[in-house]
Amino acid sequence: MDNRPIGIFDSGIGGLTVFKEIRNLLPHEDLIYFGDTARVPYGSKSVQVVRRFSAEIASFLTLQNVKMLVIACNTASALALGTLKTETSLPVIGVIDPGVRAAIKGAGEGPIGVIGTRATIASGAYQDRISRLRCNLRVVARACPLLVPVVEENLMHSDIARMALEMYLGDFKKQQVSSLILACTHYPLLKDLINEFFEGKTLLIDSARETAIEVREVLQARRINTAATQAGRETFFVSDSTEAFADIAADFLGRPVAGECFLHSWQNEP
Ligand code: DGL
């Protein structure tokens, strides 16, 4: 038994989609969430920069005494999971393998679509893993860089969101994809609109639920579940824009969030 919290991070609010599933599955665990709202988006940044940001957040969460790290961000999972694993003795879980598992379960005969950030799509992480597991499944992948700012700006129900989806998803409709992987943890926040675009005919897949299941498995395998029987504590840190984060998070989680602003001068550290 281990009563320390689980650390979960993303470049912004997208990782809350994973946080929510972990909370549903593990109601007694204490959770600490970190959203790097000062430096979002990660999807347009280089491998080195995403690795450095991820390592900094992992160090911060380690100082908060977490027992495990969940990278609730596809971009950081694609670019930094391997290096983070070598830099910490804590168990580290990313969202890509759980996402691929969810996709393979739901894919049918395809073709299967993948949408994500520029960095995630360019890394080929989903395309490679899917073709290794189901080599005859055709994969159509596309980067959708405007969708993260739409979500971070709380414009999920706006005409701008609709126009961006039309621009990015038209081709998937033409190619009649049977399922679409939302390979960015921000995108499930646009699920209703994406469903509307496909008129409910395309299965939308995200990694949040599978990731939560993997977290539970790791806790059990290492015997580090909490012994607590009361509802777990939740702490949220962001690197900037606390109020905007608190508003969207409260909307999405359906309850107010206690925010703490983690103010840290990343660049000017001695
Ligand atoms: N939510 C993230 C992901 O899953 C990152 C988006 C971004 O910061 O560009 O890729």
Side-chain angles (χ1 to χ4, degrees), residues 10-11 14-15 40-44 72-76 117 120 148 183-186:
D10 178 43
S11 59
V40 65
Y42 281 12
S44 49
C73 170
N74 285 270
T75 309
T117 66
T120 300
V148 168
C184 171
T185 53
H186 281 69

Side-chain angles (χ1 to χ4, degrees), residues 9-18 33 36 39-45 50 71-78 95-96 115-120 126 144-145 147-149 152 182-188 207:
F9 74 89
D10 178 43
S11 59
I13 60 165
L16 289 174
T17 54
V18 178
Y33 183 88
D36 197 2
R39 304 188 291 191
V40 65
Y42 281 12
S44 49
K45 299 197 167 63
V50 173
I71 311 180
C73 170
N74 285 270
T75 309
S77 299
V95 286
I96 295 189
I115 55 172
T117 66
R118 273 207 186 99
T120 300
Y126 276 89
C144 306
L147 299 186
V148 168
E152 289 286 328
L182 309 182
C184 171
T185 53
H186 281 69
Y187 299 173
S207 55

